[in-house]
mmCIF file with all atom_site columns, all heavy atoms in Angstrom:
data_model
loop_
_atom_site.group_PDB
_atom_site.id
_atom_site.type_symbol
_atom_site.label_atom_id
_atom_site.label_alt_id
_atom_site.label_comp_id
_atom_site.label_asym_id
_atom_site.label_entity_id
_atom_site.label_seq_id
_atom_site.pdbx_PDB_ins_code
_atom_site.Cartn_x
_atom_site.Cartn_y
_atom_site.Cartn_z
_atom_site.occupancy
_atom_site.B_iso_or_equiv
_atom_site.pdbx_formal_charge
_atom_site.auth_seq_id
_atom_site.auth_comp_id
_atom_site.auth_asym_id
_atom_site.auth_atom_id
_atom_site.pdbx_PDB_model_num
ATOM 1   N N   . ALA Q 1 38  ? -13.513 -6.307  38.416 1.00 0.00 ? 40  ALA Q N   1
ATOM 2   C CA  . ALA Q 1 38  ? -13.432 -5.130  39.246 1.00 0.00 ? 40  ALA Q CA  1
ATOM 3   C C   . ALA Q 1 38  ? -14.658 -4.905  40.052 1.00 0.00 ? 40  ALA Q C   1
ATOM 4   O O   . ALA Q 1 38  ? -14.648 -4.498  41.195 1.00 0.00 ? 40  ALA Q O   1
ATOM 5   C CB  . ALA Q 1 38  ? -13.190 -3.933  38.333 1.00 0.00 ? 40  ALA Q CB  1
ATOM 6   N N   . MET Q 1 56  ? -17.105 0.827   63.277 1.00 0.00 ? 58  MET Q N   1
ATOM 7   C CA  . MET Q 1 56  ? -16.451 2.085   62.875 1.00 0.00 ? 58  MET Q CA  1
ATOM 8   C C   . MET Q 1 56  ? -17.033 3.272   63.622 1.00 0.00 ? 58  MET Q C   1
ATOM 9   O O   . MET Q 1 56  ? -16.316 4.158   64.059 1.00 0.00 ? 58  MET Q O   1
ATOM 10  C CB  . MET Q 1 56  ? -16.640 2.262   61.394 1.00 0.00 ? 58  MET Q CB  1
ATOM 11  C CG  . MET Q 1 56  ? -15.893 1.181   60.544 1.00 0.00 ? 58  MET Q CG  1
ATOM 12  S SD  . MET Q 1 56  ? -16.317 1.249   58.762 1.00 0.00 ? 58  MET Q SD  1
ATOM 13  C CE  . MET Q 1 56  ? -15.535 2.788   58.271 1.00 0.00 ? 58  MET Q CE  1
ATOM 14  N N   . VAL Q 1 87  ? 5.166   -8.194  61.109 1.00 0.00 ? 89  VAL Q N   1
ATOM 15  C CA  . VAL Q 1 87  ? 6.380   -8.874  61.617 1.00 0.00 ? 89  VAL Q CA  1
ATOM 16  C C   . VAL Q 1 87  ? 6.521   -10.247 60.941 1.00 0.00 ? 89  VAL Q C   1
ATOM 17  O O   . VAL Q 1 87  ? 7.568   -10.624 60.490 1.00 0.00 ? 89  VAL Q O   1
ATOM 18  C CB  . VAL Q 1 87  ? 6.376   -9.020  63.116 1.00 0.00 ? 89  VAL Q CB  1
ATOM 19  C CG1 . VAL Q 1 87  ? 7.479   -9.900  63.637 1.00 0.00 ? 89  VAL Q CG1 1
ATOM 20  C CG2 . VAL Q 1 87  ? 6.496   -7.599  63.807 1.00 0.00 ? 89  VAL Q CG2 1
ATOM 21  N N   . ALA Q 1 96  ? 12.909  -15.930 52.824 1.00 0.00 ? 98  ALA Q N   1
ATOM 22  C CA  . ALA Q 1 96  ? 12.548  -16.530 51.549 1.00 0.00 ? 98  ALA Q CA  1
ATOM 23  C C   . ALA Q 1 96  ? 13.177  -15.825 50.361 1.00 0.00 ? 98  ALA Q C   1
ATOM 24  O O   . ALA Q 1 96  ? 13.508  -16.496 49.333 1.00 0.00 ? 98  ALA Q O   1
ATOM 25  C CB  . ALA Q 1 96  ? 11.023  -16.502 51.368 1.00 0.00 ? 98  ALA Q CB  1
ATOM 26  N N   . VAL Q 1 97  ? 13.428  -14.526 50.437 1.00 0.00 ? 99  VAL Q N   1
ATOM 27  C CA  . VAL Q 1 97  ? 13.944  -13.797 49.278 1.00 0.00 ? 99  VAL Q CA  1
ATOM 28  C C   . VAL Q 1 97  ? 15.352  -14.265 48.897 1.00 0.00 ? 99  VAL Q C   1
ATOM 29  O O   . VAL Q 1 97  ? 15.613  -14.627 47.707 1.00 0.00 ? 99  VAL Q O   1
ATOM 30  C CB  . VAL Q 1 97  ? 13.907  -12.282 49.488 1.00 0.00 ? 99  VAL Q CB  1
ATOM 31  C CG1 . VAL Q 1 97  ? 14.699  -11.552 48.442 1.00 0.00 ? 99  VAL Q CG1 1
ATOM 32  C CG2 . VAL Q 1 97  ? 12.480  -11.782 49.546 1.00 0.00 ? 99  VAL Q CG2 1
ATOM 33  N N   . ASN Q 1 110 ? 22.963  -23.158 33.494 1.00 0.00 ? 112 ASN Q N   1
ATOM 34  C CA  . ASN Q 1 110 ? 23.220  -24.555 33.092 1.00 0.00 ? 112 ASN Q CA  1
ATOM 35  C C   . ASN Q 1 110 ? 24.197  -25.239 34.035 1.00 0.00 ? 112 ASN Q C   1
ATOM 36  O O   . ASN Q 1 110 ? 25.258  -25.659 33.693 1.00 0.00 ? 112 ASN Q O   1
ATOM 37  C CB  . ASN Q 1 110 ? 23.749  -24.556 31.660 1.00 0.00 ? 112 ASN Q CB  1
ATOM 38  C CG  . ASN Q 1 110 ? 22.762  -24.129 30.657 1.00 0.00 ? 112 ASN Q CG  1
ATOM 39  O OD1 . ASN Q 1 110 ? 21.551  -24.362 30.805 1.00 0.00 ? 112 ASN Q OD1 1
ATOM 40  N ND2 . ASN Q 1 110 ? 23.196  -23.390 29.650 1.00 0.00 ? 112 ASN Q ND2 1
ATOM 41  N N   . GLN Q 1 115 ? 17.159  -32.583 32.499 1.00 0.00 ? 117 GLN Q N   1
ATOM 42  C CA  . GLN Q 1 115 ? 16.138  -33.457 33.097 1.00 0.00 ? 117 GLN Q CA  1
ATOM 43  C C   . GLN Q 1 115 ? 16.075  -33.271 34.625 1.00 0.00 ? 117 GLN Q C   1
ATOM 44  O O   . GLN Q 1 115 ? 14.964  -33.242 35.183 1.00 0.00 ? 117 GLN Q O   1
ATOM 45  C CB  . GLN Q 1 115 ? 16.537  -34.922 32.749 1.00 0.00 ? 117 GLN Q CB  1
ATOM 46  C CG  . GLN Q 1 115 ? 16.458  -35.295 31.319 1.00 0.00 ? 117 GLN Q CG  1
ATOM 47  C CD  . GLN Q 1 115 ? 17.711  -34.909 30.552 1.00 0.00 ? 117 GLN Q CD  1
ATOM 48  O OE1 . GLN Q 1 115 ? 18.637  -34.322 31.188 1.00 0.00 ? 117 GLN Q OE1 1
ATOM 49  N NE2 . GLN Q 1 115 ? 17.777  -35.256 29.331 1.00 0.00 ? 117 GLN Q NE2 1
ATOM 50  N N   . VAL Q 1 121 ? 12.390  -28.032 39.304 1.00 0.00 ? 123 VAL Q N   1
ATOM 51  C CA  . VAL Q 1 121 ? 11.317  -27.021 39.043 1.00 0.00 ? 123 VAL Q CA  1
ATOM 52  C C   . VAL Q 1 121 ? 9.968   -27.527 39.382 1.00 0.00 ? 123 VAL Q C   1
ATOM 53  O O   . VAL Q 1 121 ? 9.164   -26.832 40.016 1.00 0.00 ? 123 VAL Q O   1
ATOM 54  C CB  . VAL Q 1 121 ? 11.394  -26.586 37.548 1.00 0.00 ? 123 VAL Q CB  1
ATOM 55  C CG1 . VAL Q 1 121 ? 10.176  -25.665 37.236 1.00 0.00 ? 123 VAL Q CG1 1
ATOM 56  C CG2 . VAL Q 1 121 ? 12.667  -25.823 37.303 1.00 0.00 ? 123 VAL Q CG2 1
ATOM 57  N N   . VAL Q 1 133 ? -3.392  -25.618 55.352 1.00 0.00 ? 135 VAL Q N   1
ATOM 58  C CA  . VAL Q 1 133 ? -3.639  -26.304 56.626 1.00 0.00 ? 135 VAL Q CA  1
ATOM 59  C C   . VAL Q 1 133 ? -2.591  -27.403 56.836 1.00 0.00 ? 135 VAL Q C   1
ATOM 60  O O   . VAL Q 1 133 ? -2.200  -27.714 57.965 1.00 0.00 ? 135 VAL Q O   1
ATOM 61  C CB  . VAL Q 1 133 ? -5.065  -26.837 56.675 1.00 0.00 ? 135 VAL Q CB  1
ATOM 62  C CG1 . VAL Q 1 133 ? -5.275  -27.982 55.675 1.00 0.00 ? 135 VAL Q CG1 1
ATOM 63  C CG2 . VAL Q 1 133 ? -5.427  -27.312 58.095 1.00 0.00 ? 135 VAL Q CG2 1
ATOM 64  N N   . ILE Q 1 157 ? 21.665  -16.620 74.621 1.00 0.00 ? 159 ILE Q N   1
ATOM 65  C CA  . ILE Q 1 157 ? 22.820  -15.895 74.129 1.00 0.00 ? 159 ILE Q CA  1
ATOM 66  C C   . ILE Q 1 157 ? 22.521  -14.435 73.988 1.00 0.00 ? 159 ILE Q C   1
ATOM 67  O O   . ILE Q 1 157 ? 23.306  -13.543 74.350 1.00 0.00 ? 159 ILE Q O   1
ATOM 68  C CB  . ILE Q 1 157 ? 23.310  -16.491 72.792 1.00 0.00 ? 159 ILE Q CB  1
ATOM 69  C CG1 . ILE Q 1 157 ? 23.653  -17.954 72.982 1.00 0.00 ? 159 ILE Q CG1 1
ATOM 70  C CG2 . ILE Q 1 157 ? 24.562  -15.724 72.313 1.00 0.00 ? 159 ILE Q CG2 1
ATOM 71  C CD1 . ILE Q 1 157 ? 24.754  -18.239 73.999 1.00 0.00 ? 159 ILE Q CD1 1
ATOM 72  N N   . PHE Q 1 164 ? 14.896  -10.554 71.454 1.00 0.00 ? 166 PHE Q N   1
ATOM 73  C CA  . PHE Q 1 164 ? 14.974  -11.914 71.894 1.00 0.00 ? 166 PHE Q CA  1
ATOM 74  C C   . PHE Q 1 164 ? 14.771  -12.060 73.382 1.00 0.00 ? 166 PHE Q C   1
ATOM 75  O O   . PHE Q 1 164 ? 15.279  -12.979 73.990 1.00 0.00 ? 166 PHE Q O   1
ATOM 76  C CB  . PHE Q 1 164 ? 16.378  -12.498 71.549 1.00 0.00 ? 166 PHE Q CB  1
ATOM 77  C CG  . PHE Q 1 164 ? 16.709  -12.462 70.065 1.00 0.00 ? 166 PHE Q CG  1
ATOM 78  C CD1 . PHE Q 1 164 ? 17.835  -11.802 69.605 1.00 0.00 ? 166 PHE Q CD1 1
ATOM 79  C CD2 . PHE Q 1 164 ? 15.875  -13.114 69.165 1.00 0.00 ? 166 PHE Q CD2 1
ATOM 80  C CE1 . PHE Q 1 164 ? 18.143  -11.745 68.290 1.00 0.00 ? 166 PHE Q CE1 1
ATOM 81  C CE2 . PHE Q 1 164 ? 16.169  -13.073 67.788 1.00 0.00 ? 166 PHE Q CE2 1
ATOM 82  C CZ  . PHE Q 1 164 ? 17.313  -12.377 67.307 1.00 0.00 ? 166 PHE Q CZ  1
ATOM 83  N N   . GLN Q 1 167 ? 11.086  -15.510 76.895 1.00 0.00 ? 169 GLN Q N   1
ATOM 84  C CA  . GLN Q 1 167 ? 11.354  -16.977 76.982 1.00 0.00 ? 169 GLN Q CA  1
ATOM 85  C C   . GLN Q 1 167 ? 10.363  -17.662 76.025 1.00 0.00 ? 169 GLN Q C   1
ATOM 86  O O   . GLN Q 1 167 ? 9.200   -17.598 76.148 1.00 0.00 ? 169 GLN Q O   1
ATOM 87  C CB  . GLN Q 1 167 ? 11.112  -17.452 78.369 1.00 0.00 ? 169 GLN Q CB  1
ATOM 88  C CG  . GLN Q 1 167 ? 11.314  -18.951 78.558 1.00 0.00 ? 169 GLN Q CG  1
ATOM 89  C CD  . GLN Q 1 167 ? 12.722  -19.354 78.359 1.00 0.00 ? 169 GLN Q CD  1
ATOM 90  O OE1 . GLN Q 1 167 ? 13.688  -18.684 78.737 1.00 0.00 ? 169 GLN Q OE1 1
ATOM 91  N NE2 . GLN Q 1 167 ? 12.920  -20.529 77.706 1.00 0.00 ? 169 GLN Q NE2 1
ATOM 92  N N   . PRO Q 1 168 ? 10.938  -18.327 75.027 1.00 0.00 ? 170 PRO Q N   1
ATOM 93  C CA  . PRO Q 1 168 ? 10.077  -19.020 74.008 1.00 0.00 ? 170 PRO Q CA  1
ATOM 94  C C   . PRO Q 1 168 ? 9.310   -20.193 74.592 1.00 0.00 ? 170 PRO Q C   1
ATOM 95  O O   . PRO Q 1 168 ? 9.848   -20.935 75.464 1.00 0.00 ? 170 PRO Q O   1
ATOM 96  C CB  . PRO Q 1 168 ? 11.034  -19.476 72.914 1.00 0.00 ? 170 PRO Q CB  1
ATOM 97  C CG  . PRO Q 1 168 ? 12.324  -19.597 73.614 1.00 0.00 ? 170 PRO Q CG  1
ATOM 98  C CD  . PRO Q 1 168 ? 12.377  -18.577 74.670 1.00 0.00 ? 170 PRO Q CD  1
ATOM 99  N N   . PRO Q 1 175 ? 7.986   -19.129 64.404 1.00 0.00 ? 177 PRO Q N   1
ATOM 100 C CA  . PRO Q 1 175 ? 7.409   -20.271 63.605 1.00 0.00 ? 177 PRO Q CA  1
ATOM 101 C C   . PRO Q 1 175 ? 6.461   -19.833 62.561 1.00 0.00 ? 177 PRO Q C   1
ATOM 102 O O   . PRO Q 1 175 ? 6.515   -20.404 61.418 1.00 0.00 ? 177 PRO Q O   1
ATOM 103 C CB  . PRO Q 1 175 ? 6.734   -21.057 64.654 1.00 0.00 ? 177 PRO Q CB  1
ATOM 104 C CG  . PRO Q 1 175 ? 7.430   -20.753 65.957 1.00 0.00 ? 177 PRO Q CG  1
ATOM 105 C CD  . PRO Q 1 175 ? 7.742   -19.320 65.854 1.00 0.00 ? 177 PRO Q CD  1
ATOM 106 N N   . LEU Q 1 196 ? 14.705  -14.308 34.769 1.00 0.00 ? 198 LEU Q N   1
ATOM 107 C CA  . LEU Q 1 196 ? 16.101  -14.513 34.408 1.00 0.00 ? 198 LEU Q CA  1
ATOM 108 C C   . LEU Q 1 196 ? 16.133  -15.223 33.044 1.00 0.00 ? 198 LEU Q C   1
ATOM 109 O O   . LEU Q 1 196 ? 16.992  -14.917 32.234 1.00 0.00 ? 198 LEU Q O   1
ATOM 110 C CB  . LEU Q 1 196 ? 16.811  -15.351 35.467 1.00 0.00 ? 198 LEU Q CB  1
ATOM 111 C CG  . LEU Q 1 196 ? 17.088  -14.625 36.782 1.00 0.00 ? 198 LEU Q CG  1
ATOM 112 C CD1 . LEU Q 1 196 ? 17.584  -15.552 37.841 1.00 0.00 ? 198 LEU Q CD1 1
ATOM 113 C CD2 . LEU Q 1 196 ? 18.146  -13.523 36.552 1.00 0.00 ? 198 LEU Q CD2 1
ATOM 114 N N   . LEU Q 1 203 ? 23.171  -10.698 26.626 1.00 0.00 ? 205 LEU Q N   1
ATOM 115 C CA  . LEU Q 1 203 ? 23.665  -10.095 27.865 1.00 0.00 ? 205 LEU Q CA  1
ATOM 116 C C   . LEU Q 1 203 ? 24.749  -10.946 28.483 1.00 0.00 ? 205 LEU Q C   1
ATOM 117 O O   . LEU Q 1 203 ? 25.837  -10.472 28.816 1.00 0.00 ? 205 LEU Q O   1
ATOM 118 C CB  . LEU Q 1 203 ? 22.544  -9.890  28.889 1.00 0.00 ? 205 LEU Q CB  1
ATOM 119 C CG  . LEU Q 1 203 ? 21.554  -8.796  28.636 1.00 0.00 ? 205 LEU Q CG  1
ATOM 120 C CD1 . LEU Q 1 203 ? 20.435  -8.741  29.631 1.00 0.00 ? 205 LEU Q CD1 1
ATOM 121 C CD2 . LEU Q 1 203 ? 22.276  -7.461  28.643 1.00 0.00 ? 205 LEU Q CD2 1
ATOM 122 N N   . ARG Q 1 204 ? 24.481  -12.285 28.487 1.00 0.00 ? 206 ARG Q N   1
ATOM 123 C CA  . ARG Q 1 204 ? 25.515  -13.197 29.076 1.00 0.00 ? 206 ARG Q CA  1
ATOM 124 C C   . ARG Q 1 204 ? 26.741  -13.245 28.173 1.00 0.00 ? 206 ARG Q C   1
ATOM 125 O O   . ARG Q 1 204 ? 27.861  -13.172 28.631 1.00 0.00 ? 206 ARG Q O   1
ATOM 126 C CB  . ARG Q 1 204 ? 24.906  -14.591 29.138 1.00 0.00 ? 206 ARG Q CB  1
ATOM 127 C CG  . ARG Q 1 204 ? 23.778  -14.759 30.147 1.00 0.00 ? 206 ARG Q CG  1
ATOM 128 C CD  . ARG Q 1 204 ? 23.218  -16.148 30.115 1.00 0.00 ? 206 ARG Q CD  1
ATOM 129 N NE  . ARG Q 1 204 ? 22.228  -16.415 31.168 1.00 0.00 ? 206 ARG Q NE  1
ATOM 130 C CZ  . ARG Q 1 204 ? 20.923  -16.096 31.024 1.00 0.00 ? 206 ARG Q CZ  1
ATOM 131 N NH1 . ARG Q 1 204 ? 20.489  -15.516 29.923 1.00 0.00 ? 206 ARG Q NH1 1
ATOM 132 N NH2 . ARG Q 1 204 ? 20.092  -16.329 31.987 1.00 0.00 ? 206 ARG Q NH2 1
ATOM 133 N N   . MET Q 1 235 ? 6.815   -8.995  45.726 1.00 0.00 ? 237 MET Q N   1
ATOM 134 C CA  . MET Q 1 235 ? 5.616   -8.304  46.143 1.00 0.00 ? 237 MET Q CA  1
ATOM 135 C C   . MET Q 1 235 ? 4.382   -9.268  46.071 1.00 0.00 ? 237 MET Q C   1
ATOM 136 O O   . MET Q 1 235 ? 3.530   -9.194  46.967 1.00 0.00 ? 237 MET Q O   1
ATOM 137 C CB  . MET Q 1 235 ? 5.327   -7.091  45.261 1.00 0.00 ? 237 MET Q CB  1
ATOM 138 C CG  . MET Q 1 235 ? 6.339   -5.967  45.509 1.00 0.00 ? 237 MET Q CG  1
ATOM 139 S SD  . MET Q 1 235 ? 6.276   -5.424  47.260 1.00 0.00 ? 237 MET Q SD  1
ATOM 140 C CE  . MET Q 1 235 ? 7.555   -4.188  47.238 1.00 0.00 ? 237 MET Q CE  1
ATOM 141 N N   . ALA Q 1 237 ? 4.598   -12.441 46.628 1.00 0.00 ? 239 ALA Q N   1
ATOM 142 C CA  . ALA Q 1 237 ? 4.813   -13.289 47.805 1.00 0.00 ? 239 ALA Q CA  1
ATOM 143 C C   . ALA Q 1 237 ? 4.430   -12.560 49.069 1.00 0.00 ? 239 ALA Q C   1
ATOM 144 O O   . ALA Q 1 237 ? 3.833   -13.117 50.014 1.00 0.00 ? 239 ALA Q O   1
ATOM 145 C CB  . ALA Q 1 237 ? 6.259   -13.699 47.887 1.00 0.00 ? 239 ALA Q CB  1
ATOM 146 N N   . THR Q 1 249 ? -2.519  -19.454 61.796 1.00 0.00 ? 251 THR Q N   1
ATOM 147 C CA  . THR Q 1 249 ? -3.341  -19.661 62.971 1.00 0.00 ? 251 THR Q CA  1
ATOM 148 C C   . THR Q 1 249 ? -2.844  -20.786 63.830 1.00 0.00 ? 251 THR Q C   1
ATOM 149 O O   . THR Q 1 249 ? -2.921  -20.751 65.097 1.00 0.00 ? 251 THR Q O   1
ATOM 150 C CB  . THR Q 1 249 ? -4.838  -19.872 62.508 1.00 0.00 ? 251 THR Q CB  1
ATOM 151 O OG1 . THR Q 1 249 ? -5.250  -18.799 61.741 1.00 0.00 ? 251 THR Q OG1 1
ATOM 152 C CG2 . THR Q 1 249 ? -5.720  -20.031 63.728 1.00 0.00 ? 251 THR Q CG2 1
ATOM 153 N N   . ASN Q 1 267 ? -0.377  -12.589 66.973 1.00 0.00 ? 269 ASN Q N   1
ATOM 154 C CA  . ASN Q 1 267 ? -1.578  -12.845 66.172 1.00 0.00 ? 269 ASN Q CA  1
ATOM 155 C C   . ASN Q 1 267 ? -1.539  -12.003 64.932 1.00 0.00 ? 269 ASN Q C   1
ATOM 156 O O   . ASN Q 1 267 ? -0.736  -11.014 64.882 1.00 0.00 ? 269 ASN Q O   1
ATOM 157 C CB  . ASN Q 1 267 ? -2.864  -12.505 66.994 1.00 0.00 ? 269 ASN Q CB  1
ATOM 158 C CG  . ASN Q 1 267 ? -4.066  -13.321 66.525 1.00 0.00 ? 269 ASN Q CG  1
ATOM 159 O OD1 . ASN Q 1 267 ? -3.951  -14.058 65.542 1.00 0.00 ? 269 ASN Q OD1 1
ATOM 160 N ND2 . ASN Q 1 267 ? -5.125  -13.254 67.285 1.00 0.00 ? 269 ASN Q ND2 1
ATOM 161 N N   . ALA Q 1 291 ? -11.618 -5.060  60.920 1.00 0.00 ? 293 ALA Q N   1
ATOM 162 C CA  . ALA Q 1 291 ? -10.217 -5.512  60.796 1.00 0.00 ? 293 ALA Q CA  1
ATOM 163 C C   . ALA Q 1 291 ? -10.013 -6.076  59.366 1.00 0.00 ? 293 ALA Q C   1
ATOM 164 O O   . ALA Q 1 291 ? -8.920  -5.894  58.819 1.00 0.00 ? 293 ALA Q O   1
ATOM 165 C CB  . ALA Q 1 291 ? -9.929  -6.618  61.864 1.00 0.00 ? 293 ALA Q CB  1
ATOM 166 N N   . THR Q 1 299 ? -3.340  -4.701  51.941 1.00 0.00 ? 301 THR Q N   1
ATOM 167 C CA  . THR Q 1 299 ? -3.044  -5.410  50.709 1.00 0.00 ? 301 THR Q CA  1
ATOM 168 C C   . THR Q 1 299 ? -3.062  -4.417  49.515 1.00 0.00 ? 301 THR Q C   1
ATOM 169 O O   . THR Q 1 299 ? -2.174  -4.546  48.607 1.00 0.00 ? 301 THR Q O   1
ATOM 170 C CB  . THR Q 1 299 ? -4.116  -6.476  50.455 1.00 0.00 ? 301 THR Q CB  1
ATOM 171 O OG1 . THR Q 1 299 ? -4.141  -7.322  51.619 1.00 0.00 ? 301 THR Q OG1 1
ATOM 172 C CG2 . THR Q 1 299 ? -3.765  -7.301  49.274 1.00 0.00 ? 301 THR Q CG2 1
ATOM 173 N N   . ARG Q 1 311 ? 7.465   -0.059  37.971 1.00 0.00 ? 313 ARG Q N   1
ATOM 174 C CA  . ARG Q 1 311 ? 7.526   0.949   36.904 1.00 0.00 ? 313 ARG Q CA  1
ATOM 175 C C   . ARG Q 1 311 ? 8.740   1.797   37.002 1.00 0.00 ? 313 ARG Q C   1
ATOM 176 O O   . ARG Q 1 311 ? 9.377   2.150   36.042 1.00 0.00 ? 313 ARG Q O   1
ATOM 177 C CB  . ARG Q 1 311 ? 6.263   1.792   36.955 1.00 0.00 ? 313 ARG Q CB  1
ATOM 178 C CG  . ARG Q 1 311 ? 4.989   1.021   36.524 1.00 0.00 ? 313 ARG Q CG  1
ATOM 179 C CD  . ARG Q 1 311 ? 3.755   1.912   36.541 1.00 0.00 ? 313 ARG Q CD  1
ATOM 180 N NE  . ARG Q 1 311 ? 2.550   1.164   36.170 1.00 0.00 ? 313 ARG Q NE  1
ATOM 181 C CZ  . ARG Q 1 311 ? 1.360   1.674   36.163 1.00 0.00 ? 313 ARG Q CZ  1
ATOM 182 N NH1 . ARG Q 1 311 ? 1.212   2.951   36.423 1.00 0.00 ? 313 ARG Q NH1 1
ATOM 183 N NH2 . ARG Q 1 311 ? 0.311   0.893   35.838 1.00 0.00 ? 313 ARG Q NH2 1
ATOM 184 N N   . ARG Q 1 312 ? 9.106   2.143   38.266 1.00 0.00 ? 314 ARG Q N   1
ATOM 185 C CA  . ARG Q 1 312 ? 10.322  2.999   38.466 1.00 0.00 ? 314 ARG Q CA  1
ATOM 186 C C   . ARG Q 1 312 ? 11.529  2.218   38.018 1.00 0.00 ? 314 ARG Q C   1
ATOM 187 O O   . ARG Q 1 312 ? 12.438  2.806   37.351 1.00 0.00 ? 314 ARG Q O   1
ATOM 188 C CB  . ARG Q 1 312 ? 10.371  3.401   39.917 1.00 0.00 ? 314 ARG Q CB  1
ATOM 189 C CG  . ARG Q 1 312 ? 11.610  4.298   40.200 1.00 0.00 ? 314 ARG Q CG  1
ATOM 190 C CD  . ARG Q 1 312 ? 11.642  4.741   41.657 1.00 0.00 ? 314 ARG Q CD  1
ATOM 191 N NE  . ARG Q 1 312 ? 12.770  5.587   41.964 1.00 0.00 ? 314 ARG Q NE  1
ATOM 192 C CZ  . ARG Q 1 312 ? 12.802  6.881   41.749 1.00 0.00 ? 314 ARG Q CZ  1
ATOM 193 N NH1 . ARG Q 1 312 ? 11.722  7.496   41.285 1.00 0.00 ? 314 ARG Q NH1 1
ATOM 194 N NH2 . ARG Q 1 312 ? 13.914  7.610   42.053 1.00 0.00 ? 314 ARG Q NH2 1
#
Side-chain angles (χ1 to χ4, degrees):
M58 296 170 69
V89 170
V99 169
N112 296 321
Q117 296 82 357
V123 171
V135 68
I159 303 299
F166 302 122
Q169 178 66 39
L198 290 169
L205 286 176
R206 295 176 175 84
M237 289 302 177
T251 303
N269 209 351
T301 306
R313 290 181 182 179
R314 182 178 179 84

